[in-house]
């Protein structure tokens, strides 16, 4: 087997693990019950207009895609995980909008160059393991003068801290894979998009989360619904001491951020235009 074919097989295996991870639990419930405001905020900030052709990358169950369709755009939602796409179809039907749901990899989007007026991703593309490949694809499929809009969890915010708390218990990442919360660092995103974009604007904002009355409620919800958390717990299921330690770490994290039944989860909102030159 050649080195190139080995790399292809390794990447296919990695993407299969990612697909399986996001099929665990109930991410659509996370999107609708915990972070429903993120998608509409992204669509407003990106300035999506009726008639625009919009691509939502790593769309999940459509947290940004459905609001874009409700705004009158012609929307394509692409994601690696068929189960999330099926949930998105149901949600779109309930909301009375139609859009195109496609299975696809954020690092190898199945679309032509410059095919979309706006390319967005709401806490989605940040989980693609190879950041530069994913960023290159975001730019490639956006037309010159088109808009790129991203919402990503910051490393310093609550979700970034949650991933840091889980890291000691998770299997080591494969070679070349980068931590998702890096997409919440302004300079990292600037370097990924580079001089191919202009009017780059990045703002740190806070999402008010009032879904959890107690820290333990947060922990149990994410243990049962959030794929990355579920995957870590599965990896340590045979070690009760590690399970107890991770339980304590997540409970402590939530308790430090929870006040009167609310939390604030920091995210980075990025807006940019693809250069016309």
């Amino acid at each position: 087997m050649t080195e190139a074919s080995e790399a292809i097989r390794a990447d296919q295996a990695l993407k299969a693990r990612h697909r399986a991870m996001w099929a665990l639990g109930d991410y659509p419930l996370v999107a609708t019950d915990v972070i429903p405001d993120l998608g509409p905020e992204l669509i407003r900030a990106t300035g999506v207009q009726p008639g625009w052709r919009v691509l939502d990358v790593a769309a999940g169950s459509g947290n940004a895609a459905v609001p874009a369709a409700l705004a009158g755009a012609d929307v394509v939602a692409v994601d690696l995980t068929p189960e999330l796409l099926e949930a998105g179809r149901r949600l779109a039907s309930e909301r009375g909008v139609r859009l195109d749901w496609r299975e696809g990899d954020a690092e190898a989007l199945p679309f032509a160059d410059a095919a979309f007026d706006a390319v967005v991703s709401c806490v989605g593309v940040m989980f693609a393991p190879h950041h530069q490949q994913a960023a290159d694809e975001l730019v490639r499929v956006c037309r010159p003068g088109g808009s790129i809009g991203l919402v990503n969890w910051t490393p310093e915010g609550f979700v970034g801290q949650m991933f840091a708390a889980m890291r000691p218990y998770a299997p080591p990442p494969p070679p070349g894979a980068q931590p998702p919360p890096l997409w919440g660092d302004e300079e990292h995103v600037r370097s990924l998009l580079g001089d191919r974009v202009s009017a780059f604007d990045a703002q740190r904002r806070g999402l008010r989360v009032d879904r959890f009355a107690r820290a333990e409620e947060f922990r149990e919800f994410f243990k049962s619904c959030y794929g990355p958390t579920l995957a870590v717990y599965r990896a340590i299921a045979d070690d009760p001491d590690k399970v107890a330690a991770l339980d304590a770490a997540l409970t402590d994290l939530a308790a430090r951020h929870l006040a009167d039944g609310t939390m604030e989860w920091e995210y980075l909102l990025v807006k940019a235009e693809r250069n016309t030159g």
Side-chain angles (χ1 to χ4, degrees):
M1 183 180 299
T2 67
E3 184 176 338
S5 60
E6 287 181 359
I8 291 172
R9 288 188 62 179
D11 186 67
Q12 289 173 339
L14 174 59
K15 298 302 170 55
R17 291 196 296 274
H18 273 238
R19 187 181 296 111
M21 178 183 73
W22 288 107
L24 294 172
D26 191 350
Y27 183 75
L29 187 63
V30 178
T32 58
D33 280 25
V34 184
I35 60 169
D37 295 338
L38 280 185
E41 174 65 16
L42 174 60
I43 297 307
R44 285 193 297 270
T46 307
V48 169
Q49 300 294 316
W52 277 19
R53 185 161 167 78
V54 175
L55 177 65
D56 184 6
V57 179
S61 53
N63 196 16
V66 171
L70 288 168
D74 177 12
V75 183
V76 180
V78 63
D79 198 274
L80 198 62
T81 305
E83 291 86 348
L84 297 184
L85 296 173
E86 186 55 40
R89 290 187 185 97
R90 293 194 296 269
L91 177 62
S93 178
E94 291 169 4
R95 300 293 299 275
V97 290
R98 298 188 66 178
L99 52 152
D100 188 3
W101 300 88
R102 303 269 193 97
E103 186 175 342
D105 183 354
E107 297 178 3
L109 292 169
F111 307 107
D113 295 356
F116 296 93
D117 300 299
V119 180
V120 301
S121 185
C122 183
V123 294
V125 75
M126 65 181 292
F127 292 100
H130 307 109
H131 294 187
Q132 191 62 63
Q133 283 180 236
D136 291 348
E137 286 293 273
L138 295 177
V139 175
R140 180 184 67 79
V141 300
C142 185
R143 67 166 173 80
S147 300
I148 296 173
L150 307 170
V151 161
N152 298 311
W153 303 120
T154 65
E156 302 83 5
F158 178 80
V159 177
Q161 291 181 47
M162 181 184 71
F163 275 93
M166 295 192 297
R167 190 176 302 123
Y169 306 95
Q178 294 174 279
L182 274 179
W183 275 91
D185 178 83
E186 177 181 345
E187 291 310 311
H188 183 66
V189 182
R190 280 184 183 273
S191 69
L192 292 175
L193 299 177
D195 60 5
R196 298 169 298 178
V197 302
S198 58
F200 182 96
D201 180 70
Q203 302 174 24
R204 287 177 180 251
R205 297 188 179 183
L207 174 71
R208 184 176 184 271
V209 175
D210 58 6
R211 173 63 172 72
F212 310 107
R214 299 180 301 111
E216 293 80 4
E217 184 181 354
F218 160 80
R219 183 195 70 210
E220 292 305 308
F221 182 91
F222 268 64
K223 281 178 71 172
S224 62
C225 293
Y226 192 58
T229 308
L230 270 160
V232 173
Y233 272 101
R234 288 192 174 190
I236 60 173
D238 294 334
D239 191 329
D241 291 339
K242 287 186 176 180
V243 171
L246 182 53
D247 276 350
L250 293 180
T251 303
D252 178 66
L253 175 66
R256 286 188 279 111
H257 285 79
L258 190 62
D260 298 324
T262 64
M263 299 179 179
E264 185 170 283
W265 295 5
E266 187 182 65
Y267 62 93
L268 186 74
L269 173 65
V270 171
K271 299 174 288 182
E273 294 179 6
R274 182 177 173 184
N275 284 341
T276 56

